[in-house]
Amino acid sequence: MMRRRSTTPTEDLFLLASRLPWWVSVLIAAAAWFALQPIANSQPAAIADLHEFSSLVSGQVFCAFAQLGQLLLPPIFLVGSFASVIGRARGANTIQLGTTLGGQLAAV
């Protein structure tokens, strides 16, 4: 029994984007950009005492992940939409052969 090759989350997202219609992938890319933009560009609030330090750190970590997502998700989905267009164009140009009930090959 062969083991399935493990994939990274980036490969999984690209595969998902390439299987979706191209316009859905473009919408997801735009939505990811515009949804993560205000989070990634937010400024940390000033802390009054040291008891608020943990909320400051957690907020900065959240902003860092938003910046990373803003830079990675849109290109992945845009390249996936391009792959979707190419894949569908290739699929439309191929002739699928099938067999008829009599066992003869026929273009389907």
Side-chain angles (χ1 to χ4, degrees):
M1 179 163 68
M2 294 184 60
R3 290 183 55 195
R4 184 175 172 195
R5 186 177 72 92
S6 67
T7 59
T8 63
T10 305
E11 291 172 331
D12 293 337
L13 284 174
F14 176 76
L15 183 64
L16 173 72
S18 66
R19 291 190 178 175
L20 290 172
W22 68 269
W23 56 272
V24 174
S25 294
V26 170
L27 284 176
I28 292 173
W33 176 267
F34 288 116
L36 294 173
Q37 177 77 18
I39 299 168
N41 291 336
S42 65
Q43 296 296 322
I47 58 172
D49 59 359
L50 288 178
H51 297 291
E52 298 174 3
F53 186 71
S54 64
S55 65
L56 173 73
V57 171
S58 63
Q60 285 301 107
V61 168
F62 189 66
C63 288
F65 280 120
Q67 287 175 345
L68 186 65
Q70 184 185 9
L71 294 176
L72 291 179
L73 291 177
I76 289 171
F77 279 97
L78 289 176
V79 171
S81 69
F82 182 71
S84 175
V85 168
I86 297 297
R88 291 177 197 271
R90 283 188 181 168
N93 293 334
T94 60
I95 297 174
Q96 297 178 354
L97 294 177
T99 57
T100 61
L101 292 176
Q104 298 174 350
L105 286 177
V108 178

